[in-house]
Amino acid sequence: MTWCLWRRSRTICLSLAFVTVFLHLLLALVTLSIPHLPCDAPLPPEMQFRVLARNANASAKIGGHGEPPTDVLQGDSSNQDGRRETERNANQTERWESDMLKLKALFDHPLYNTPRPAVPEDDWLMKVKPKIKPSQRSSQMWESDTQDIYDNVQWNSSVSSQPPWLRFHLGITRWELYPHRDPNMEPLTQQLATHRIVSAVQKSGGTQLKLVMSFPNYGQALFKPKKQERDEETNYNLYYFSDFERHNAEIAAFHLDRILGYRRVPPAVGRLVDVVKEIKDVTTDRKLAKTFFNSPVGNVCFYGQCSYYCSTEHAVCGTPQDLEASLAVMLPDMSLAKRRSWRSPWRRSYSRSKLAQWETDPNYCVNVKKTPPYDKGTRLVDFIDLVVLDFLMSNLDRHHYETFEKFGNNTFLLHLDNGRAFGRHSKDEPSILAPLRQCCRIRRSTWLRLRLLSLPQYHISDVMRASLSQDPLHKVAPLLSEPHLAALSRRLKTVLETVSRCQEQHKDDPGAEDVIYDDLADVNCYVV
């Protein structure tokens, strides 16, 4: 009896165990067959619709019906990106139009259009000589021994027959390189940017590579290649005399000089040059030709010969052949218009340990004012104009400047060689303003234009951006980054504050010289 009862109990236990295992297996199968949903909060109705649409498209694809589906979420993201890009382009277009209107308004202002008397004959740098023989009075012909390179050019006294570079040379006066509204500026810059290059030779002198490019109409331009990216700042540990020259700085200096109303920097234009076709294949400079090579990645490079930065370590390379560069119109040959070089009184020591006298003597300008040519005429305020330009673009490398010898001491200063400008945007260099701070002297016309450029309707950063946008290289990338443009506004404020401090210091000194040199006494113009 007991045995029978034990066997029955065991059978029941085994049956129950079997049923339990079976139920667990069944529950597992049911659980796996149910899709798992996330434990996140419920999606909004529109997102639920998109998910359902996506699942429906996926099901259709699996079933083999209809076209391949498009991910709705990705499409929505692309649409948002597209809308943002459209809005960004619209904002940029609107900003460009606003900047161009500011630039036009600036150049239309009376301060840039002051009436001037006719230029006396002796105030022209160059003149067209009359022909001696009657048979030659109608024309003059230049012929080249290499007829397939240079054009046969027939010129006469008519301006329309003269090439743009010659018109530029004939337009130089005692007071400026070109007039404010120069009709020759557009054809001249067009020539620099597009005309065929027939010769390229290295320019002698200097610490860095420069070339002289020639055009078929006998015009020439000074070529400076791209050596670093636009947004690359100068290393803080480098001394100013160790800095690289920048092609975009030469172009930007020309635009800023014109915006300041000086017109003392030769016109400069950006250009993409083919290193092989427009330099290597046309050069007659054997020393230059020997320096061409191909880089490990296949770019065509060259380095020329110069004092410091002409070596394989400082080579200039195309990508693979295209090279950005600045081309500035050449001034008249020294045999036709001699220039005199003047050492800057505020020249830096160019030593890593020694300071110049002006850096230690706060009364340094007193002696400068007693020294020719700064003791009379406008030479001191001419130099202060150059100082303002250099401070705005942070150019520390102004050891010399030049003038045309014909005009003696009573003429403007040539603002040449600006390649080391715009090296840093994050730091201003107050020592550049030392001449203004120590001498407390500035032209009224310069002071008024600086004040004008500080106003919102003529903001210096905006008009500079608009002016640079007209250069051919702007299509590749803006010639000055936004931080550099912002630095212009910051530095302009510093210049105006310096002048204000000078006025405050001299207001109670009856024997002191006026801070503002009035060069507009006989000119009616608006005061800002």
Side-chain angles (χ1 to χ4, degrees):
M1 183 71 179
T2 301
W3 172 253
C4 291
L5 185 60
W6 178 81
R7 291 187 61 183
R8 186 179 300 172
S9 299
R10 191 182 65 172
T11 302
I12 293 173
C13 289
L14 290 173
S15 300
L16 290 174
F18 177 80
V19 170
T20 301
V21 172
F22 175 79
L23 289 174
H24 277 82
L25 290 173
L26 181 62
L27 181 61
L29 290 173
V30 171
T31 302
L32 291 174
S33 65
I34 298 175
H36 291 272
L37 297 177
C39 297
D40 298 331
L43 295 173
E46 63 271 17
M47 189 60 72
Q48 291 178 6
F49 174 78
R50 292 171 186 163
V51 172
L52 290 173
R54 182 182 61 186
N55 291 339
N57 285 333
S59 300
K61 181 178 179 180
I62 293 173
H65 302 291
E67 296 294 327
T70 301
D71 193 308
V72 176
L73 289 178
Q74 288 183 356
D76 182 70
S77 176
S78 300
N79 290 338
Q80 289 181 0
D81 292 341
R83 283 194 297 270
R84 291 193 197 99
E85 184 66 23
T86 301
E87 292 175 358
R88 185 160 50 247
N89 291 337
N91 291 336
Q92 289 178 350
T93 301
E94 184 179 353
R95 184 181 191 179
W96 178 81
E97 292 174 350
S98 173
D99 292 346
M100 290 300 295
L101 289 175
K102 290 181 181 181
L103 181 64
K104 182 181 183 303
L106 179 74
F107 285 159
D108 287 342
H109 195 277
L111 278 172
Y112 289 79
N113 296 276
T114 54
R116 296 187 179 185
V119 179
E121 185 176 355
D122 290 339
D123 283 358
W124 294 102
L125 180 65
M126 301 175 65
K127 292 179 287 187
V128 178
K129 292 183 179 180
K131 308 300 182 295
I132 299 175
K133 296 180 181 180
S135 61
Q136 296 178 341
R137 285 179 184 171
S138 59
S139 65
Q140 177 186 19
M141 188 169 183
W142 282 21
E143 292 187 3
S144 169
D145 294 334
T146 313
Q147 299 294 341
D148 58 336
I149 295 180
Y150 290 93
D151 298 336
N152 289 334
V153 184
Q154 294 188 11
W155 302 331
N156 54 40
S157 58
S158 173
V159 174
S160 60
S161 70
Q162 298 163 356
W165 66 266
L166 181 58
R167 274 180 268 169
F168 169 71
H169 287 180
L170 295 175
I172 299 174
T173 68
R174 180 185 296 273
W175 307 115
E176 58 190 4
L177 283 176
Y178 56 92
H180 172 51
R181 297 190 183 277
D182 186 4
N184 184 50
M185 190 56 61
E186 184 175 350
L188 178 62
T189 53
Q190 184 75 7
Q191 169 185 299
L192 295 172
T194 62
H195 275 211
R196 182 167 59 95
I197 297 172
V198 298
S199 174
V201 296
Q202 185 165 349
K203 188 178 186 301
S204 60
T207 61
Q208 302 190 34
L209 178 68
K210 296 183 288 289
L211 305 181
V212 176
M213 307 301 226
S214 299
F215 303 112
N217 62 1
Y218 298 91
Q220 290 186 323
L222 184 64
F223 167 98
K224 289 191 177 183
K226 174 184 177 181
K227 290 193 173 181
Q228 61 188 47
E229 299 300 326
R230 291 166 172 73
D231 56 353
E232 184 178 348
E233 278 202 284
T234 300
N235 189 317
Y236 282 94
N237 291 314
L238 283 181
Y239 289 90
Y240 44 86
F241 47 83
S242 301
D243 195 10
F244 287 121
E245 292 185 346
R246 286 167 282 277
H247 71 301
N248 60 314
E250 291 287 355
I251 303 166
F254 159 63
H255 286 263
L256 181 59
D257 178 85
R258 185 174 59 167
I259 285 171
L260 293 174
Y262 295 159
R263 298 184 290 279
R264 300 164 197 168
V265 173
V269 175
R271 176 166 176 165
L272 275 178
V273 175
D274 189 309
V275 175
V276 175
K277 295 180 180 179
E278 296 180 304
I279 302 180
K280 183 179 180 181
D281 290 352
V282 299
T283 187
T284 55
D285 189 332
R286 294 183 179 180
K287 293 182 179 179
L288 175 65
K290 292 179 180 180
T291 66
F292 283 86
F293 66 94
N294 289 337
S295 73
V297 295
N299 293 330
V300 182
C301 308
F302 65 103
Y303 52 89
Q305 294 187 3
C306 60
S307 303
Y308 292 99
Y309 297 108
C310 290
S311 62
T312 53
E313 292 80 10
H314 302 100
V316 174
C317 298
T319 52
Q321 294 182 197
D322 290 337
L323 174 64
E324 285 187 31
S326 66
L327 272 76
V329 63
M330 296 286 285
L331 294 174
D333 190 85
M334 295 284 278
S335 62
L336 301 175
K338 293 182 179 180
R339 301 195 299 271
R340 179 172 177 178
S341 179
W342 302 80
R343 179 178 173 136
S344 167
W346 281 267
R347 181 183 185 270
R348 298 175 186 276
S349 66
Y350 287 82
S351 168
R352 294 176 176 84
S353 57
K354 184 180 178 181
L355 295 178
Q357 183 181 349
W358 62 266
E359 295 180 276
T360 58
D361 183 2
N363 297 317
Y364 177 77
C365 187
V366 175
N367 293 326
V368 172
K369 288 180 179 180
K370 298 176 182 178
T371 306
Y374 305 97
D375 58 340
K376 58 183 178 180
T378 62
R379 178 58 62 91
L380 182 60
V381 289
D382 289 332
F383 185 79
I384 297 297
D385 282 347
L386 179 55
V387 166
V388 171
L389 173 69
D390 282 338
F391 178 73
L392 290 176
M393 59 186 187
S394 194
N395 179 26
L396 292 83
D397 190 39
R398 187 69 67 188
H399 45 83
H400 286 79
Y401 62 87
E402 295 183 21
T403 59
F404 287 111
E405 193 172 282
K406 175 184 177 180
F407 301 131
N409 295 335
N410 194 22
T411 185
F412 70 97
L413 314 186
L414 289 163
H415 299 174
L416 306 176
D417 198 12
N418 304 289
R420 285 194 170 117
F422 295 105
R424 294 177 184 167
H425 54 72
S426 58
K427 182 181 183 297
D428 302 338
E429 183 50 62
S431 64
I432 301 176
L433 272 187
L436 174 60
R437 192 168 54 250
Q438 294 175 357
C439 298
C440 279
R441 193 82 163 137
I442 191 171
R443 264 196 176 91
R444 179 177 295 277
S445 59
T446 301
W447 178 61
L448 291 176
R449 283 193 292 265
L450 292 175
R451 292 176 61 189
L452 193 72
L453 289 165
S454 69
L455 300 177
Q457 60 267 39
Y458 309 104
H459 200 263
I460 187 171
S461 299
D462 295 336
V463 295
M464 187 67 171
R465 184 187 300 107
S467 187
L468 290 173
S469 71
Q470 301 174 80
D471 188 87
L473 280 186
H474 178 78
K475 297 178 181 178
V476 179
L479 285 159
L480 286 183
S481 63
E482 286 300 317
H484 277 297
L485 294 174
L488 284 175
S489 302
R490 185 178 68 244
R491 292 166 186 163
L492 174 59
K493 182 180 178 182
T494 301
V495 175
L496 292 175
E497 289 173 349
T498 302
V499 176
S500 296
R501 282 195 296 271
C502 283
Q503 291 176 313
E504 187 68 23
Q505 293 168 7
H506 288 71
K507 70 176 183 179
D508 297 328
D509 187 354
E513 192 177 34
D514 290 337
V515 173
I516 307 298
Y517 170 77
D518 194 358
D519 61 331
L520 298 174
D522 299 325
V523 178
N524 294 320
C525 63
Y526 296 127
V527 178
V528 294

